[in-house]
Amino acid sequence: MSSKQQKSPKNASGKLWGGRFSGTLDPLMIAYNQSIYFDRAFYAQDIAGSIAFARANVTTGILTKDDFASIENGFEQILEEWRTDTFEIKPDLDEDIHTANERRLGEIVGKDTAGKLHTGRSRNDQVATDLRLWLRDELRQIAERLVALIEAYVLRAEKEIDHIMPGYTHLQRAQPVRWSHWLLSYGTAFAADLERLHEVIKRVNRSPLGCGALAGNPFSIDRDAMAKELGFDGLMPNSMAAVSDRDFIIETMQWGSTLMLHLSRWSEDLIVYSSAEFGFVRLADAYTTGSSLMPQKKNCDSLELIRGKCGTVFGGLAGLMMTIKGTPSTYNKDQQESVEHMLNHVKTVKDSIVIAERVLLTLTVFPDKMRAALSPDMLATDLAEYLVRKGLPFRETHHISGRIVALAEKEGKPMNKLTVEQFKSVDDRFANDVLQVFDYDRSVELKSAAGGTSKSAVEEQIRLLRGVIGARDD
């Protein structure tokens, strides 16, 4: 063959895949197709995956030991360039993080050596590997932040266990509860979120590397060795599933949506409790803003933003699911849309957890106002239970207590201001000790069954949550 024939035709588009193309891309299409400006977030994972792939290809004979040493050293230089923000992105060439890293590797070690790296590998399994590595590491960080948030609930619940407040159903005063009980209701929800998160991480942490474009690797590459090097727990067992699967992102976003739902409900409670109409709590200045018109305003913007971003997170999940649902099997370019959804979702969830923790740790509570909001009618159930302890069936005592409520309303006075004689006029089984029912501390202490609002029950809930997060008692 002549030297002219031995040379490959010039890649018309300058792309890794451009060999079969003779024309150039529309500049708008180049920008429309690019992902480098957001998937650059995976530079470290892309390099780690490439080094593992190169090491495995020494065993297959694709690379020599010298080739591998050059590639590893080259990637170490590239990694440092990314870390120091000196990596130069070339927009006309660097379509994505994989292209950018390989292009730069060729400049450092030579195109002949760098050109061997991609043997048997596709960007399909490469991007899936990058996504899983990055997401695994981020979710582990989120788990640490979630543990810190739960611990904040535990610390406040322990410190403020004697505060009693109204418990609400339908946003109406229902029964007295401990402030700590309310705190732990959310701590319990976040503990369940933490448990679910650990399950999600297990499914994220499976390796697709070595699956090629869709059919697998033809050089008997050791996928297990690569997975072990990268810290994966195991392999994706089917190459077609490995390159097409984005369930791990969807499941992460489903998990994050549930977490944000809990944060949003907690935020709503505190927004209400911080209003002048309630006055139970006050947020620190660091997590509030004022009004440009009304000097007296102090707005709970941190909590309102958590509540608002919950909707954004839900929307991202719905959008990604609508994108994925219509794609045929294995990889399609539609799946590139999963990257930005994932990046935005993870940042929003992580930031929201941190903000929530800081709001909680700096929150001022006003136990006197909580107690002042209690009212005797909140003990109507206790009154019914008073008669239950005398042997009456609850359905009957419920009706009798309701008649006492109606009498108090008719008399225009609180239930505890009725006389014993008035109680007996409704039912003669009320005794002289009936007014002892109207004691808020007694009421909460009666709820001593597991999960209740008595001091001992709340202390047990604290102990259980400490076990979940691995915290130790001082």
Side-chain angles (χ1 to χ4, degrees), residues 214-469:
L214 78 162
N217 183 283
F219 298 102
S220 300
I221 199 163
D222 189 342
R223 291 188 63 208
D224 287 302
M226 293 188 295
K228 184 177 180 180
E229 179 174 340
L230 295 171
F232 284 115
D233 292 331
L235 303 178
M236 289 292 291
N238 179 284
S239 61
M240 295 178 74
V243 299
S244 66
D245 176 62
R246 293 299 180 270
D247 289 357
F248 66 98
I249 296 178
I250 291 172
E251 186 179 8
T252 293
M253 295 176 69
Q254 289 170 333
W255 174 85
S257 295
T258 301
L259 173 79
M260 289 297 293
L261 182 150
H262 295 149
L263 283 174
S264 181
R265 295 190 69 194
W266 170 75
S267 297
E268 173 66 11
D269 275 0
L270 284 183
I271 290 167
V272 171
Y273 294 166
S274 69
S275 67
E277 288 75 12
F278 285 73
F280 297 170
V281 300
R282 184 177 64 219
L283 271 65
D285 288 351
Y287 304 103
T288 58
T289 65
S291 165
S292 61
L293 176 65
M294 298 168 285
Q296 82 280 9
K297 292 296 295 296
K298 184 175 182 180
N299 301 322
C300 302
D301 282 11
S302 55
L303 299 176
E304 291 171 13
L305 284 168
I306 288 174
R307 188 176 60 187
K309 288 179 184 295
C310 180
T312 302
V313 164
F314 288 178
L317 170 61
L320 178 57
M321 292 182 75
M322 292 306 100
T323 297
I324 299 298
K325 76 171 183 64
T327 55
S329 60
T330 77
Y331 185 79
N332 302 271
K333 195 70 170 187
D334 315 48
Q335 287 157 291
Q336 182 169 290
E337 292 299 297
S338 67
V339 179
E340 285 185 285
H341 280 299
M342 182 187 74
L343 291 170
N344 293 335
H345 181 95
V346 167
K347 176 173 171 50
T348 298
V349 169
K350 184 187 290 185
D351 290 350
S352 297
I353 293 172
V354 173
I355 289 292
E357 178 197 358
R358 293 175 182 176
V359 167
L360 182 58
L361 288 173
T362 59
L363 193 70
T364 300
V365 299
F366 299 99
D368 291 345
K369 289 190 175 181
M370 292 178 180
R371 186 171 282 269
L374 299 169
S375 58
D377 59 296
M378 297 177 68
L379 300 176
T381 304
D382 294 68
L383 185 64
E385 291 164 351
Y386 165 90
L387 291 174
V388 167
R389 289 184 171 88
K390 293 182 177 294
L392 279 70
F394 177 75
R395 278 297 159 220
E396 182 181 355
T397 67
H398 183 284
H399 180 73
I400 294 169
S401 181
R403 290 172 60 194
I404 295 293
V405 172
L407 176 62
E409 290 177 350
K410 180 180 177 182
E411 294 289 324
K413 60 177 67 173
M415 291 170 64
N416 64 330
K417 297 301 180 182
L418 295 173
T419 65
V420 173
E421 288 71 25
Q422 286 176 306
F423 278 93
K424 290 183 176 181
S425 71
V426 173
D427 193 288
D428 60 9
R429 287 167 290 191
F430 283 116
N432 292 336
D433 63 351
V434 65
L435 294 178
Q436 293 178 11
V437 168
F438 297 98
D439 181 332
Y440 304 119
D441 296 283
R442 173 184 176 276
S443 176
V444 296
E445 280 306 292
L446 285 172
K447 314 302 190 299
S448 58
T453 198
S454 73
K455 190 169 186 176
S456 62
V458 169
E459 287 172 339
E460 175 62 11
Q461 293 162 48
I462 290 171
R463 188 190 68 78
L464 291 172
L465 277 185
R466 282 195 177 280
V468 168
I469 62 176

Side-chain angles (χ1 to χ4, degrees), residues 13 15 17 23-34 91-92:
S13 65
K15 305 295 183 182
W17 41 263
T24 57
L25 282 173
D26 182 325
L28 177 59
M29 179 57 192
I30 292 175
Y32 198 66
N33 185 52
Q34 274 181 336
D92 290 342

